[in-house]
């Protein structure tokens, strides 16, 4: 019979619909709430149509059924939300803090982008916000925050991306909902009809003998993009990087600044983006050939890193008279004898005063399937919550994130350590030609624990044993799925059960714990539109101890900056927004703009109050995590 791709696509969509409908009906019965309203895919640019959506659509990227997460999903369903605030996120190339300060060097890899930000003169004055110029009717490069000038980026996708945000809060939590259009080629190989979410972050490919050729991301190199199109991929390889929505935030009243004039209220994420970070024009590892190993802070006796990630200049040995066009990523106080001295004398005192950037990262492959966002912070480096500082009595344990590495085992003929459990999924791996369709159905995450576990460890579980003679894993029993035998006892994994082109995720998933578990995230992808909701406690503590999470006071508000990573973008190849405000809708834009540290042009997200009882008025405290009541 001749294959009809259109009919197959329709069958796939119907199957996905009924799969979600059945699952949600069961959840509704368990939780006692009406079924989620199904939205068949509204346009991200059709405001009137979006406003008619009274309830959030099902979270089809949530892979766990733990009652704690379902209870939060139920609460989201009941929330009353503020109005949408819509801005354009734009493609920044490799623009950095130094370039904006007038550095006479390349800003990136686009033709004609080599001149400095001349109007920035010697520095970025903290009184001059990006939106003072780039707002309405202003500069064409980069795009102002209210006008879409069209055009294309180097990756053959729009040079701007519209993003809509709205918010709500109750007595305990802040809820932030973002929506944007995205038609990522989920196959990563340019296959037709393959738009969808990327629910696995990198995969290893079975070549008939073992696993290799892990999926790659589109990365802007220090001088040029090396691989940016499927035609440039090596045979058997593919783009395979998760989509992400990230949010940097600081309390607006905090007015986080650095010694050279950088201000988060004025400059947003550019405050932490420097020209010597990885894959930037002055990349310390690739361009400057810097030896990280011997650096007492970054090296083997300190953070043990091999490149630079986001940091703020407060963490470096920088004097107000220094030139902001220079790069300070490896310049630490010379009198620090050890990493411990640096933490106790520089980092922790600054964190206790709230001088850091809070960072949430909703990752479609590594965190969202488990109901979480990556909870991080930026000061000396981009780190997970409480990382390196949790030895103190005042700080909660950093804990574990939602993922760990799953790699081929060289001692077992390069078979993976973890594979899918076919008794749960019906497959041991996902073929590359089926990957996009599976991910559209919310499949792909490799879960290693809990009642939703769908993975087996080849050397620790009893389902397979190693056959030394055949150099392969042998099945110890018949395997059934949906009442049918799909694999017979004695079958060899590589020789009988896997196909060339089968994929297994590089990242295996687990439950987040400790300070790294403080931010939840729920997401859906339907017909080219992402919906993501962040949920976090307004005042965060873990086991009664502090975390690197800024408390949220709706009456004084926050300043935020958003980034969108899609179409397999790794770093430098994303969209960013200028700073945006977040405040209670009754306080309004006037209260946020009355803060002398913010500009009147800053777009503001108005959060709807869902508190059921009156709470005492809160005032800003300089401690890391506490607002006096």
């Amino acid at each position: 019979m001749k294959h009809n791709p259109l009919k197959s696509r329709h069958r796939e969509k119907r199957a996905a619909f009924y799969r979600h409908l059945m699952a949600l009906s069961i959840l509704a019965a368990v939780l006692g709430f009406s079924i989620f309203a199904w939205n068949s895919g509204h346009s991200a640019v059709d405001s009137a149509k979006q406003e008619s959506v009274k309830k959030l659509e099902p979270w089809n990227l949530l892979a766990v059924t733990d009652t704690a997460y379902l209870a939060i999903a139920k609460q989201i369903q009941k929330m009353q939300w503020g109005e949408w605030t819509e801005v354009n996120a734009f493609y920044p190339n490799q623009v950095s803090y130094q370039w904006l300060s007038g550095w006479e060097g390349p800003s990136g890899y686009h033709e004609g982008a080599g001149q400095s930000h001349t109007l920035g003169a010697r520095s970025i004055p903290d009184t001059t916000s990006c939106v003072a110029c780039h707002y309405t009717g202003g500069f064409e490069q980069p795009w102002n925050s209210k006008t879409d000038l069209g055009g294309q980026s180097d990756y053959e996708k729009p040079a701007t991306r519209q993003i809509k945000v709205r918010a709500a809060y109750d007595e305990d939590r802040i809820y932030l909902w973002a929506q944007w259009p995205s038609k990522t080629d989920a196959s990563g190989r340019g296959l037709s009809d393959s738009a969808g979410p990327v629910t696995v972050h990198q995969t290893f490919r079975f070549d008939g003998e073992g696993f290799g050729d892990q999926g790659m991301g589109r990365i802007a190199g220090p001088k040029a993009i090396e691989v940016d199109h499927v035609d440039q991929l090596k045979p058997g390889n593919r783009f395979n990087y998760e989509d992400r929505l990230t949010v940097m935030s600081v309390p607006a009243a905090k007015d986080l600044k650095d010694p050279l004039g950088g201000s988060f209220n004025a400059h947003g994420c550019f405050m932490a983006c420097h020209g010597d970070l990885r894959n930037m024009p002055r990349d310390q590892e690739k361009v400057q050939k810097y030896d990280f190993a011997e650096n007492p802070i970054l090296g083997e006796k300190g953070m043990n890193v091999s490149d630079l990630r986001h940091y703020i200049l407060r963490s470096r040995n920088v004097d107000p008279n220094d030139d902001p066009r220079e790069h300070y990523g490896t310049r630490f106080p010379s009198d620090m004898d050890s990493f411990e001295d640096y933490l106790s004398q520089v980092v922790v005192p600054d964190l206790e005063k709230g001088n850091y950037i809070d960072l949430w990262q909703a990752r479609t492959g590594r965190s969202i399937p488990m109901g979480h966002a990556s909870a991080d912070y930026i000061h000396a480096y981009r780190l997970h919550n409480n990382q390196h500082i949790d030895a103190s009595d005042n700080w909660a344990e950093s804990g574990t994130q939602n993922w760990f590495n799953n790699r081929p085992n060289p001692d077992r003929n390069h078979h993976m350590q973890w594979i899918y459990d076919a008794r749960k999924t019906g497959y041991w791996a996902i073929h590359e030609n089926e990957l996009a369709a599976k991910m559209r159905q919310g499949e792909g995450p490799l879960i290693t624990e809990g009642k939703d576990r769908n993975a087996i460890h080849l050397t620790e579980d009893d389902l397979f044993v190693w056959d030394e003679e055949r150099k392969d894993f042998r099945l110890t029993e018949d395997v059934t799925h949906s009442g049918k035998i799909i694999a017979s006892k004695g079958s060899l994994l590589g020789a009988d059960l896997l196909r060339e082109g089968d994929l297994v995720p590089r990242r295996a998933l687990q439950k987040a714990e400790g300070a790294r578990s403080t931010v939840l995230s729920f997401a859906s992808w339907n017909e080219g539109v992402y919906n993501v909701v962040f949920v976090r406690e307004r005042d965060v503590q873990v086991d009664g101890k502090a975390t690197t999470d800024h408390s949220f006071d709706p009456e004084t508000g926050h300043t935020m900056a958003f980034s969108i990573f899609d179409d397999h973008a790794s770093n430098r190849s994303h969209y960013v927004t200028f700073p945006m405000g977040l405040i209670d809708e009754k306080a309004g834009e006037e209260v946020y703009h009355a803060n002398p540290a913010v500009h009147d042009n800053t777009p503001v997200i108005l959060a709807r109050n869902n508190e059921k009882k009156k709470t005492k008025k809160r005032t800003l405290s300089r401690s890391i995590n506490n607002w006096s009541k």
Side-chain angles (χ1 to χ4, degrees):
M1 181 180 294
K2 185 176 181 181
H3 176 65
N4 187 326
L6 182 59
K7 288 185 178 181
S8 297
R9 174 66 173 139
H10 288 167
R11 284 195 297 270
E12 175 194 316
K13 291 176 68 175
R14 286 197 301 270
F17 173 85
Y18 288 114
R19 174 176 173 268
H20 292 304
L21 188 61
M22 181 176 293
L24 290 168
S25 299
I26 294 172
L27 298 184
V30 173
L31 294 173
F33 64 96
S34 61
I35 194 165
F36 291 102
W38 180 267
N39 174 21
S40 61
H42 45 270
S43 168
V45 298
D46 187 350
S47 300
K49 192 172 181 180
Q50 286 178 339
E51 291 302 333
S52 68
V53 179
K54 301 301 183 183
K55 296 183 179 181
L56 299 183
E57 58 190 358
W59 304 119
N60 57 18
L61 302 187
L62 180 65
V64 295
T65 58
D66 189 289
T67 54
Y69 298 105
L70 299 179
I72 299 296
K74 176 182 177 180
Q75 184 64 25
I76 292 173
Q77 180 74 2
K78 296 179 178 180
M79 300 302 295
Q80 297 295 314
W81 297 85
E83 299 297 317
W84 290 105
T85 297
E86 182 173 357
V87 299
N88 283 314
F90 62 91
Y91 194 67
N93 308 331
Q94 291 167 307
V95 168
S96 66
Y97 181 106
Q98 286 69 31
W99 188 84
L100 294 174
S101 299
W103 176 50
E104 294 292 343
S107 68
Y109 36 79
H110 282 347
E111 183 179 354
Q115 295 183 354
S116 67
H117 190 251
T118 53
L119 293 181
R122 183 182 176 276
S123 66
I124 316 174
D126 55 29
T127 56
T128 302
S129 172
C130 297
V131 295
C133 298
H134 301 285
Y135 187 64
T136 54
F139 293 74
E140 292 187 355
Q141 298 288 346
W143 290 265
N144 63 59
S145 64
K146 288 292 184 181
T147 303
D148 183 1
L149 301 182
Q152 295 288 314
S153 72
D154 271 6
Y155 289 161
E156 298 181 356
K157 61 183 182 181
T160 55
R161 182 61 55 85
Q162 291 172 312
I163 181 173
K164 301 179 70 170
V165 186
R166 61 182 182 178
Y169 67 93
D170 57 24
E171 297 92 338
D172 302 315
R173 302 182 182 96
I174 174 70
Y175 304 80
L176 193 65
W177 178 18
Q179 183 184 89
W180 71 98
S182 177
K183 294 187 178 180
T184 294
D185 167 24
S187 76
R189 297 164 54 229
L191 301 182
S192 61
D193 195 26
S194 63
V198 182
T199 60
V200 292
H201 180 63
Q202 297 185 291
T203 51
F204 285 98
R205 182 180 186 273
F206 186 68
D207 62 7
E209 296 181 359
F211 283 86
D213 291 324
Q214 69 182 41
M216 60 186 297
R218 289 188 169 102
I219 300 176
K223 298 180 180 179
I225 301 173
E226 296 179 0
V227 178
D228 69 328
H229 194 273
V230 293
D231 293 340
Q232 298 171 294
L233 292 170
K234 296 178 180 179
N237 212 330
R238 66 223 151 274
F239 293 120
N240 191 196
Y241 246 62
E242 65 189 356
D243 292 339
R244 276 183 286 159
L245 175 71
T246 72
V247 184
M248 294 185 186
S249 69
V250 174
K254 171 74 246 176
D255 194 19
L256 180 65
K257 294 182 179 180
D258 65 42
L260 300 182
S263 162
F264 190 82
N265 277 329
H267 312 127
C269 61
F270 288 105
M271 182 184 187
C273 190
H274 301 277
D276 53 3
L277 303 185
R278 64 171 177 166
N279 295 314
M280 291 291 275
R282 293 272 184 101
D283 184 313
Q284 286 291 305
E285 178 191 17
K286 298 177 182 177
V287 177
Q288 303 301 99
K289 306 299 183 183
Y290 182 78
D291 184 3
F292 283 82
E294 299 302 318
N295 186 294
I297 310 302
L298 299 170
E300 295 174 352
K301 295 182 179 180
M303 297 185 197
N304 195 25
V305 298
S306 59
D307 58 19
L308 288 178
R309 310 287 173 93
H310 293 88
Y311 63 89
I312 57 177
L313 291 179
R314 300 181 62 92
S315 67
R316 279 9 185 214
N317 184 18
V318 178
D319 185 272
N321 294 319
D322 284 336
D323 191 336
R325 295 171 294 183
E326 293 300 319
H327 298 81
Y328 299 99
T330 58
R331 194 167 107 175
F332 294 92
S334 58
D335 57 346
M336 295 293 159
D337 296 328
S338 68
F339 184 47
E340 289 71 23
D341 288 343
Y342 175 68
L343 291 176
S344 63
Q345 298 177 37
V346 177
V347 176
V348 170
D350 229 14
L351 297 180
E352 290 175 341
K353 297 174 183 177
N355 293 324
Y356 65 94
I357 297 173
D358 203 349
L359 174 63
W360 307 348
Q361 300 193 71
R363 303 170 179 269
T364 59
R366 284 181 280 183
S367 67
I368 287 174
M370 303 299 289
H372 277 270
S374 178
D376 304 323
Y377 76 103
I378 299 171
H379 185 264
Y381 203 80
R382 176 174 66 82
L383 297 168
H384 296 300
N385 266 9
N386 288 28
Q387 192 173 354
H388 297 309
I389 61 169
D390 56 358
S392 167
D393 292 337
N394 299 323
W395 297 89
E397 288 291 328
S398 180
T400 57
Q401 69 266 17
N402 278 124
W403 68 90
F404 60 90
N405 280 327
N406 176 38
R407 295 183 180 277
N409 185 347
D411 295 329
R412 292 294 182 265
N413 204 20
H414 294 279
H415 276 291
M416 301 297 293
Q417 297 173 32
W418 291 85
I419 63 171
Y420 295 105
D421 185 346
R423 296 169 297 186
K424 302 285 187 66
T425 63
Y427 48 80
W428 310 103
I430 297 177
H431 195 268
E432 58 191 1
N433 293 337
E434 302 167 357
L435 180 63
K438 292 288 188 185
M439 292 194 294
R440 278 196 296 268
Q441 297 172 26
E443 298 184 46
L446 188 67
I447 302 172
T448 63
E449 61 183 16
K451 64 179 181 179
D452 299 295
R453 174 174 172 172
N454 65 355
I456 57 173
H457 194 284
L458 282 175
T459 60
E460 295 179 2
D461 291 334
D462 296 331
L463 188 60
F464 285 92
V465 294
W466 178 248
D467 186 325
E468 181 63 30
E469 182 179 352
R470 297 294 300 273
K471 302 295 182 184
D472 205 344
F473 283 96
R474 187 176 295 280
L475 196 59
T476 60
E477 61 186 62
D478 290 343
V479 170
T480 62
H481 180 260
S482 298
K484 298 180 180 180
I485 296 179
I486 60 172
S488 300
K489 179 180 178 180
S491 297
L492 294 172
L493 179 62
D496 303 322
L497 303 180
L498 295 176
R499 301 167 292 174
E500 182 176 355
D502 272 348
L503 306 174
V504 172
R506 177 188 169 190
R507 312 290 184 168
L509 304 186
Q510 62 186 0
K511 182 179 179 181
E513 295 181 342
R516 304 186 191 191
S517 69
T518 59
V519 185
L520 303 183
S521 183
F522 301 85
S524 67
W525 185 97
N526 279 303
E527 301 295 334
V529 177
Y530 266 120
N531 285 278
V532 173
V533 174
F534 292 100
V535 182
R536 203 211 67 187
E537 298 291 323
R538 288 169 57 177
D539 298 285
V540 182
Q541 287 191 336
V542 174
D543 296 329
K545 295 185 177 183
T547 67
T548 45
D549 294 288
H550 285 303
S551 292
F552 172 71
D553 188 330
E555 296 182 4
T556 55
H558 271 238
T559 298
M560 296 183 157
F562 294 81
S563 296
I564 297 170
F565 296 73
D566 67 353
D567 205 22
H568 308 284
S570 174
N571 53 71
R572 313 298 157 240
S573 308
H574 57 304
Y575 298 99
V576 301
T577 70
F578 291 127
M580 301 177 67
L582 172 67
I583 199 167
D584 173 77
E585 67 176 351
K586 291 186 176 180
E589 295 183 8
E590 296 79 7
V591 173
Y592 179 82
H593 289 148
N595 183 343
V598 304
H599 195 277
D600 290 346
N601 282 350
T602 305
V604 179
I605 306 160
L606 299 177
R608 180 74 52 87
N609 184 351
N610 285 253
E611 292 177 337
K612 295 180 181 179
K613 59 183 179 180
K614 292 184 178 180
T615 57
K616 295 180 180 180
K617 185 176 181 180
R618 301 170 179 228
T619 56
L620 184 66
S621 168
R622 291 183 63 83
S623 66
I624 177 177
N625 227 9
N626 301 311
W627 297 75
S628 60
K629 300 182 179 180

